[in-house]
C-alpha cells in the first residue's frame, strides 16, 4: 500500500478562503472585522517566523491584525498588563501569546491572564476544562487542525483505535480527548511507555507529537493506518516530523507530510477561533 499524502497546505488554504468569505459577509453587513493580536516577548528567530505567519495570514483574510513586541527582559507584570489591556479592547477578539516565553516568565500565569473568550490558543484552564467536560469553548489549534484533516479525508474515528504519542497540554492530551469525543478508543503514550512499537502497531490512527525526528518507524505502522505527524524538527537545515515518513508511507493509508501537513492547519484553526470568538462576542447566531 502507498499512502495518500494529506495536503494540509491545500486544506488550510480552503479553510482560509471560507473564513475570508465569512469576514467579507460581515463587513458587507457593516459589521466590524475580527481582531487578532500576537504578543511576542524577545526575539527568538523561530517565534518571530511563527508570529509573522499568523500576522500575514490573518491580514490576508481581512482580519484586523496587530502585534505587541516586548523586550526579552520584560517583567511578568509588564506582560500581564499588556494582556489585560488587550482583554479590555473591544476591537480585539483573539489574544495569542507566542510560546515559549523567555526564561523567568511564568507561562501559566500569562495564559491565566487572558480573557477565556479571547483565548484563541485554547490553553486557558477554563477552555481546557470545557474540552475535558465536553462543553463549548476555544479548542487548541493543532489538535483541532488534526481533526479537520481527518474529516477532510472523510475518515470517521468512531470505533477506531487512536494512539497518541506525547502527552503535552498543547497537543497530546487535547487530541486524546477530541478523539474520545469522536468515539475512538484512545491510548496515550509518553516517554515512560514500555513498548512504543507495540502500541503504535495496534493503531488505526497514529498521532505523533513528541519532537524527536523519525521516532515512529515505518515498520511499526499498521497497514492502512491514518498517520498524523505533528512533530517539527530541524535536521541538517531541513524540517522533518516525528515519523519516518518515507517508510511509513509504504504501509499507511494516509499520512501528513512535514512540512505542509499539520503546521498550516494550526494557523488556519487559530484564524477560525478568532472569527468564532468575534461572532460569539457580537452575539451572531451562526
Ligand atoms: P512537549 O515537549 O511539550 O511534549 C513532548 C511529549 O513527548 C511529552 O509528553 C513526552 O512524554 C513525550 N515523549 C518524549 N520522548 C518520548 C518517547 N521517546 N516516546 C514517547 N513519547 C515521548 O512537545 P509538544 O509541545 O507537544 O510538541 C511536540 C512536537 O510537535 C514538537 O516537535 C513541536 O515542535 C511540534 N508541534 C507542532 C505544531 C504544528 O503546528 N505542527 C504545533 C505544536 C507543536
Amino acid at each position: 500500500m502507498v499512502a495518500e499524502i494529506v495536503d494540509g497546505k491545500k486544506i488550510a488554504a480552503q479553510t482560509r478562503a471560507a473564513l475570508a468569505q465569512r469576514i467579507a459577509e460581515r463587513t458587507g453587513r457593516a459589521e466590524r472585522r475580527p481582531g487578532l493580536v500576537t504578543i511576542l516577548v524577545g526575539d527568538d528567530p523561530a517565534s518571530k517566523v511563527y508570529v509573522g505567519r499568523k500576522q500575514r495570514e490573518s491580514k490576508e483574510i481581512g482580519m484586523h491584525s496587530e502585534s505587541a513586541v516586548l523586550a526579552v527582559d520584560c517583567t511578568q507584570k509588564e506582560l500581564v498588563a499588556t494582556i489585560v489591556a488587550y482583554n479590555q479592547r473591544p476591537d480585539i477578539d483573539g489574544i495569542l501569546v507566542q510560546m515559549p516565553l523567555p526564561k523567568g516568565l511564568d507561562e501559566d500565569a500569562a495564559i491565566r491572564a487572558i480573557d477565556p473568550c479571547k483565548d484563541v490558543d485554547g490553553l486557558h484552564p477554563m477552555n481546557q476544562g470545557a474540552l475535558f467536560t465536553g462543553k463549548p469553548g476555544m479548542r487548541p489549534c493543532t489538535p483541532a487542525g488534526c481533526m479537520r484533516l481527518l474529516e477532510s479525508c472523510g475518515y470517521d474515528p468512531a470505533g477506531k483505535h487512536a494512539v497518541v504519542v506525547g502527552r503535552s497540554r498543547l497537543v497530546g492530551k487535547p487530541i486524546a480527548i477530541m478523539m474520545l469525543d469522536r468515539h475512538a478508543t484512545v491510548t496515550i503514550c509518553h516517554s515512560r511507555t514500555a513498548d512504543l512499537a507495540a502500541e503504535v502497531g495496534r493503531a488505526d490512527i497514529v498521532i505523533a507529537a513528541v519532537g524527536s525526528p523519525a521516532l515512529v518507524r515505518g515498520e511499526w505502522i499498521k497497514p492502512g493506518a491514518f498517520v498524523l505527524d505533528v512533530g517539527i524538527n530541524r535536521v541538517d537545515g531541513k524540517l522533518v516530523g516525528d515519523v519516518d515518513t518515507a517508510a511509513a508511507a509504504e504501509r499507511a493509508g494516509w499520512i501528513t507530510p512535514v512540512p505542509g501537513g499539520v503546521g498550516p492547519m494550526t494557523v488556519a484553526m487559530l484564524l477560525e477561533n478568532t472569527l468564532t470568538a468575534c461572532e460569539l462576542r457580537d452575539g451572531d447566531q451562526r
Side-chain angles (χ1 to χ4, degrees):
M1 172 174 285
V2 178
E4 180 183 326
I5 307 296
V6 182
D7 189 348
K9 243 171 123 168
K10 188 174 109 193
I11 298 157
Q14 289 167 350
T15 307
R16 290 197 306 275
L19 296 175
Q21 163 114 31
R22 271 162 69 189
I23 293 172
E25 283 166 12
R26 281 183 66 82
T27 53
R29 294 190 299 265
E31 291 168 13
R32 66 187 183 87
R33 295 178 185 281
L36 174 70
V37 63
T38 55
I39 301 178
L40 173 66
V41 186
D43 53 7
D44 175 68
S47 292
K48 274 167 104 170
V49 170
Y50 291 141
V51 161
R53 186 168 166 185
K54 289 163 190 170
Q55 288 259 305
R56 193 180 63 246
E57 293 191 5
S58 56
K59 279 186 193 140
E60 276 170 9
I61 63 164
M63 281 187 179
H64 167 73
S65 177
E66 60 183 76
S67 65
V69 181
L70 302 179
V72 69
D73 59 355
C74 89
T75 62
Q76 185 76 27
K77 215 172 158 183
E78 282 166 332
L79 172 59
V80 168
T82 303
I83 294 168
V84 169
Y86 283 109
N87 284 343
Q88 289 162 354
R89 284 256 307 263
D91 57 335
I92 293 294
D93 302 286
I95 301 174
L96 178 126
V97 179
Q98 186 63 45
M99 302 292 173
L101 290 173
K103 275 204 169 64
L105 293 175
D106 182 341
E107 293 188 348
D108 286 340
I111 291 167
R112 279 196 310 272
I114 301 172
D115 176 343
C117 298
K118 296 188 177 188
D119 167 41
V120 282
D121 244 351
L123 296 178
H124 190 284
M126 282 269 288
N127 284 315
Q128 297 238 311
L131 171 64
F132 196 80
T133 51
K135 298 286 183 291
M138 291 288 153
R139 301 296 192 238
C141 303
T142 302
C146 289
M147 299 307 290
R148 192 61 67 80
L149 288 177
L150 277 182
E151 254 167 54
S152 73
C153 296
Y155 190 97
D156 182 3
K160 299 287 196 297
H161 186 185
V163 173
V164 183
V165 190
R167 56 175 162 183
S168 69
R169 166 173 71 177
L170 192 60
V171 188
K173 280 182 192 161
I175 199 162
I177 306 283
M178 289 180 192
M179 288 286 174
L180 204 55
D181 284 347
R182 296 293 309 277
H183 314 296
T185 302
V186 181
T187 300
I188 308 179
C189 302
H190 46 79
S191 52
R192 308 271 188 96
T193 295
D195 190 349
L196 188 61
E199 303 294 350
V200 171
R202 282 191 281 275
D204 301 307
I205 307 168
V206 181
I207 302 103
V210 175
S212 174
L215 172 77
V216 175
R217 311 257 297 260
E219 65 266 26
W220 295 357
I221 302 296
K222 178 171 162 181
F226 201 119
V227 180
L228 289 153
D229 190 353
V230 179
I232 301 178
N233 309 289
R234 195 168 284 277
V235 176
D236 300 331
K238 277 180 61 185
L239 288 187
V240 298
D242 287 347
V243 178
D244 180 355
T245 311
E250 297 289 316
R251 295 167 65 86
W254 298 262
I255 190 164
T256 62
V258 178
V262 174
M265 289 306 292
T266 296
V267 186
M269 293 297 103
L270 172 79
L271 303 178
E272 189 167 293
N273 277 349
T274 305
L275 175 54
T276 303
C278 172
E279 290 172 347
L280 288 171
R281 286 181 58 234
D282 285 359
D284 289 14
Q285 292 306 307
R286 273 179 299 279

